[in-house]
Amino acid sequence: MRYNGVGTLVRVLIVEDEPTLSRQLSHALGGAGYATDAAADGDRADFLVRTESYDAIVLDLGLPHVDGLTLLAAWRSAGIATPILVLTARSSWHEKVQGIDGGADDYMAKPFRIEEVLARLRALIRRASGHTQALLIAGPVALDPRNGRVTLQDEAVKLTSHEFRVLAYLMHHQDRVVSGGELVEHIYAQDSDRESNTVEVFIGRLRRKLGASFIRTVRGMGYQISP
Ligand code: CA
């Protein structure tokens, strides 16, 4: 059995409408020690995610009732920060960009090897639970790594999962300047496309949400939470 950092069994939700593939995933994840639930359509997935607690979600994009990208956007805007591995039938550039914007943590294009799904899930779960558990505070901003909550002067701030990871990393290392490359290493899963220019996008969004001067740019070096 696999357990998370606080001693409970690691639970994974599989959202896939193709019965054979869903069974294969359930079987492989169960064999690797995870507790799994399965949803075969968007409505069921949405219900489970909002009523249960998962450590990770495997999300197919083409689904009956509500498609995966719509679900992803709805969950992230509701503050649900669970790591999500997206399965896409087409390795479409457009879909991938939409997924990144919507807050997916990693991708696999079909067909894929189950072993690779397992490896990527392990990495996602490890990264999500690997941070220290203390509340992080920088000036008016507080970030709680245990529940993914961020507040600005005690008011809740909604962040996408990538924005959250950038902020959490900068707040963990607020004593020094962090380079764009280092941020990229920490926000994207291994082997997924790493594009350092997307870091600037996340920094820009964080400044809009938390105040323009909250994160400073140190020319030629990177970023730092303003002291
Ligand atoms: Ca499908």
Side-chain angles (χ1 to χ4, degrees):
M1 291 285 133
R2 288 183 182 273
Y3 295 89
N4 65 16
V6 289
T8 56
L9 190 61
V10 175
R11 299 182 69 200
V12 179
L13 176 65
I14 299 161
V15 187
E16 169 60 67
D17 59 319
E18 203 182 301
T20 310
L21 186 52
S22 179
R23 268 198 305 274
Q24 282 174 348
L25 286 166
S26 294
H27 187 255
L29 267 60
Y34 299 104
T36 62
D37 285 339
D41 65 66
D43 284 341
R44 178 74 185 152
D46 194 42
F47 173 78
L48 286 174
V49 165
R50 289 172 192 274
T51 52
E52 302 289 325
S53 169
Y54 295 103
D55 297 284
I57 300 166
V58 178
L59 177 67
D60 183 32
L61 290 186
L63 293 169
H65 306 321
V66 186
D67 70 87
L69 282 175
T70 303
L71 288 173
L72 189 57
W75 293 339
R76 291 317 189 207
S77 72
I80 295 164
T82 313
I84 296 179
L85 172 63
V86 157
L87 304 178
T88 165
R90 301 139 281 183
S91 61
S92 141
W93 180 85
H94 185 68
E95 225 172 50
K96 238 172 130 167
V97 169
Q98 281 187 305
I100 287 182
D101 242 26
D105 298 86
D106 203 358
Y107 294 85
M108 299 232 40
K110 294 177 184 175
F112 47 74
R113 293 187 64 84
I114 295 280
E115 291 82 355
E116 193 175 355
V117 173
L118 289 176
R120 292 196 183 214
L121 268 181
R122 272 198 302 275
L124 283 188
I125 293 165
R126 192 173 54 232
R127 209 171 49 234
S129 62
H131 297 297
T132 52
Q133 298 289 298
L135 185 70
L136 296 170
I137 295 170
V141 176
L143 180 151
D144 190 338
R146 289 162 297 192
N147 56 22
R149 287 210 181 95
V150 174
T151 56
L152 172 64
Q153 278 158 345
D154 295 325
E155 297 280 335
V157 179
K158 280 182 183 170
L159 301 181
T160 67
S161 66
H162 283 88
E163 290 163 11
F164 180 84
R165 266 188 238 142
V166 168
L167 179 64
Y169 196 78
L170 288 173
M171 288 181 74
H172 269 294
H173 300 95
Q174 48 187 291
D175 53 320
R176 65 175 175 85
V177 177
V178 176
S179 74
E182 188 178 341
L183 280 171
V184 168
E185 291 285 320
H186 283 270
I187 60 175
Y188 291 117
Q190 268 181 345
D191 304 326
S192 68
D193 294 344
R194 292 173 173 181
E195 293 185 33
S196 58
N197 58 352
T198 60
V199 166
E200 284 174 46
V201 174
F202 299 132
I203 295 279
R205 290 183 191 160
L206 286 170
R207 283 179 175 143
R208 278 197 295 280
K209 292 178 180 181
L210 302 173
S213 62
F214 183 65
I215 299 169
R216 67 189 186 112
T217 299
V218 182
R219 268 188 72 165
M221 290 182 67
Y223 306 96
Q224 186 178 19
I225 304 283
S226 298

